[in-house]
Amino acid sequence: MRYRSLLFDWSGTLVDDLPPTLHATNAVLNEHQVPSMSREEFRQRFRLPYPEFYDEMLPGVPIETLEDTFRSSFNESPQGVTVLPHAREMLDWCRDQKIRCFVLSSMDVGLFTEQAHDFGLHGHFEAIYAGVIDKRERIGGILSGHGLAVDETAFVGDMVHDIHTAKHGGIASVAVATGYDPVDRLAQSEPHHFFDHMGDFRQWLEDSAKHPEPAR
């Protein structure tokens, strides 16, 4: 097996929460008399760490004052969160293969916990790191704290920030085109691997197990 440990982003990687995130973001903007964004405009402008995005959209407004509106509006969205196709099967397969799985996400801890338990996915992960503003600042501690070998570990995500986080930690980066960042932006970040969805990544892992080669 090429990778014995996988770190997963949550939003846009394992679950589709873009509709309620957009709904909540527009509620925050409207509260400060800023017009709503379309889905595509949001995908073009949104970025992590998310305080930088809000500092651009609402300069001078403390991020702490926006969080209550975001959380309540997220839960009131007419469209809810769904598990992305192939994600559950991927996590089940990783469990069967004894691949160690972790979550590293900027998602609000409370919202994440609700979703993970509602979807029955919480038990798939050895450890969960949610509410992380800048993932680059945590990746090193996670790797060392769990004794993860850098040449056997990859970070799977849907945003450029995830790719940068993987590279910052010295591990492989896996991009999936199922979430927030447009495909062209993801490609420009030069991930080690790029897949349309989690099913393709799982197939690649299965094929790699049959024909092992160095991860780099």
Side-chain angles (χ1 to χ4, degrees):
M1 179 64 60
R2 178 170 294 203
Y3 297 120
R4 300 305 310 170
S5 307
L6 294 174
L7 284 72
F8 292 94
D9 172 53
W10 184 251
S11 302
T13 301
L14 296 174
V15 303
D16 180 10
D17 64 355
L18 183 52
T21 296
L22 176 58
H23 179 84
T25 301
N26 280 334
V28 169
L29 297 178
N30 294 167
E31 190 172 60
H32 294 271
Q33 291 73 55
V34 176
S36 297
M37 291 188 290
S38 67
R39 179 186 176 98
E40 286 313 308
E41 182 182 3
F42 176 73
R43 292 186 72 212
Q44 289 294 334
R45 301 191 68 170
F46 184 69
R47 67 182 185 277
L48 295 176
Y50 65 81
E52 296 179 4
F53 164 76
Y54 280 107
D55 189 51
E56 175 189 315
M57 301 300 299
L58 301 170
V61 179
I63 190 70
E64 294 78 14
T65 68
L66 313 176
E67 292 178 343
D68 287 343
T69 298
F70 183 92
R71 290 192 197 98
S72 61
S73 300
F74 186 98
N75 288 324
E76 294 167 359
S77 170
Q79 291 181 268
V81 182
T82 58
V83 179
L84 280 162
H86 311 289
R88 190 182 299 277
E89 293 81 0
M90 174 66 170
L91 293 174
D92 288 344
W93 182 82
C94 286
R95 180 183 58 203
D96 293 342
Q97 298 298 318
K98 302 190 182 327
I99 295 174
R100 301 171 68 186
C101 293
F102 304 81
V103 168
L104 176 55
S105 171
S106 60
M107 166 60 70
D108 173 84
V109 174
L111 292 175
F112 168 84
T113 301
E114 290 176 11
Q115 292 172 27
H117 281 290
D118 287 348
F119 295 137
L121 297 179
H122 198 276
H124 285 80
F125 306 110
E126 183 174 327
I128 290 165
Y129 300 88
V132 178
I133 301 299
D134 191 333
K135 301 173 192 177
R136 294 168 297 187
E137 297 177 355
R138 295 297 300 277
I139 186 68
I142 293 171
L143 295 173
S144 61
H146 292 280
L148 305 182
V150 295
D151 59 345
E152 295 181 345
T153 304
F155 185 26
V156 190
D158 66 301
M159 297 190 70
V160 169
H161 182 67
D162 300 324
I163 308 308
H164 290 169
T165 297
K167 293 181 179 181
H168 188 77
I171 61 177
S173 53
V174 180
V176 287
T178 52
Y180 284 63
D181 270 346
V183 168
D184 58 345
R185 184 184 303 161
L186 265 179
Q188 289 170 8
S189 70
E190 298 183 340
H192 289 95
H193 315 288
F194 200 148
F195 301 100
D196 286 340
H197 51 71
M198 203 66 70
D200 285 349
F201 179 36
R202 189 186 74 177
Q203 185 62 57
W204 180 85
L205 287 171
E206 291 178 347
D207 293 343
S208 297
K210 299 172 184 175
H211 307 285
E213 58 183 88
R216 294 294 189 269

